[in-house]
Amino acid sequence: MAGGMSDNVILVGFMGAGKSSVGRLLARRLGRCFVETDDMITAKEGRPIPEIFTAKGEPHFRALEDEAVRLLALKRGDVIATGGGLPCQDGRVEALQALGTVVWLSGDLAALLERARRTGDRPMLDGKTREEIEALYKSREPYYAKADLSVDTTRLNPDQVAAEVWKALQARARPPQPRPPHPTASR
Ligand code: S3P
């Protein structure tokens, strides 16, 4: 598989993109281990993410993400799902690319938010207006767009997204070979 030295597959994208469910399915399909940066953080802190935000605030959570990224350097051949804000700082996507192939699970914002509402508590969305969420999304999109591959998840279920990611990874691992010259074209 193409990518950084450590051959991991790293999923990035906004909240509701399906990084956790797709990551789990993809890991199964590839026969790899599945890791989530949010799980690394909750395990270290001993409490769920919303509580970390309430008790210690966003800057503390971002510092925990920095530490999680440092620990990812130990991973080899894993499928890694990142929190929605983790890649959104200068140099971060490049740091992830050094660990493997970065895949953006993209989608229409409305579809992402609909999923995010159904799956879990997200402090970054709590109490925000639609305009504020759109602004957050717009500020993050340029970072996600640096990924090596992207799959539009808007109309797909997690199984279908995992299959699309798998296909894109295969295509990247085996780039099309140049065609041999046609016999009649040789002199
Ligand atoms: C966050 C996204 C969450 C989690 C935390 C902050 C964000 O992960 O890391 O609540 O800043 O977008 P998901 O993207 O899995 O929801």
Side-chain angles (χ1 to χ4, degrees):
M1 201 169 293
M5 303 272 293
S6 312
D7 203 25
N8 301 290
V9 177
I10 302 134
L11 303 179
V12 301
F14 202 65
M15 292 164 274
K19 300 175 297 284
S20 308
S21 41
V22 170
R24 213 165 279 121
L25 291 165
L26 184 66
R28 200 177 304 153
R29 198 179 248 259
L30 292 169
R32 305 219 184 165
C33 292
F34 175 61
V35 180
E36 280 200 81
T37 56
D38 281 351
D39 284 349
M40 293 165 73
I41 289 169
T42 50
K44 177 172 187 295
E45 291 288 285
R47 51 177 152 187
I49 297 213
E51 280 186 26
I52 300 174
F53 271 77
T54 308
K56 298 194 172 168
E58 188 184 348
H60 179 73
F61 177 77
R62 298 299 168 203
L64 293 169
E65 285 191 321
D66 293 346
E67 192 185 337
V69 172
R70 282 195 293 277
L71 291 172
L72 290 182
L74 303 171
K75 304 291 178 197
R76 297 285 181 276
D78 289 354
V79 175
I80 301 165
T82 59
L86 182 141
C88 305
Q89 55 173 272
D90 291 343
R92 182 51 68 70
V93 174
E94 292 77 3
L96 295 177
Q97 282 169 325
L99 305 176
T101 305
V102 178
V103 182
W104 175 22
L105 301 187
S106 67
D108 291 350
L109 183 56
L112 300 178
L113 292 180
E114 161 60 25
R115 276 193 219 127
R117 251 190 296 276
R118 274 188 278 123
T119 54
D121 197 353
R122 294 197 164 75
M124 289 301 290
L125 299 178
D126 288 347
K128 289 220 167 72
T129 64
R130 176 69 194 216
E131 289 69 34
E132 287 168 334
I133 294 172
E134 270 170 26
L136 178 68
Y137 179 77
K138 283 215 170 68
S139 71
R140 289 179 169 190
E141 203 175 21
Y143 294 99
Y144 301 143
K146 291 185 189 184
D148 301 301
L149 302 170
S150 73
V151 170
D152 185 345
T153 68
T154 307
R155 281 169 202 81
L156 304 181
N157 65 37
D159 266 318
Q160 292 168 321
V161 176
E164 288 302 312
V165 174
W166 185 81
K167 268 193 259 167
L169 290 167
Q170 298 301 311
R172 192 173 151 85
R174 275 183 260 107
Q177 299 301 308
R179 271 200 262 154
H182 193 276
T184 57
S186 60
R187 296 183 185 206

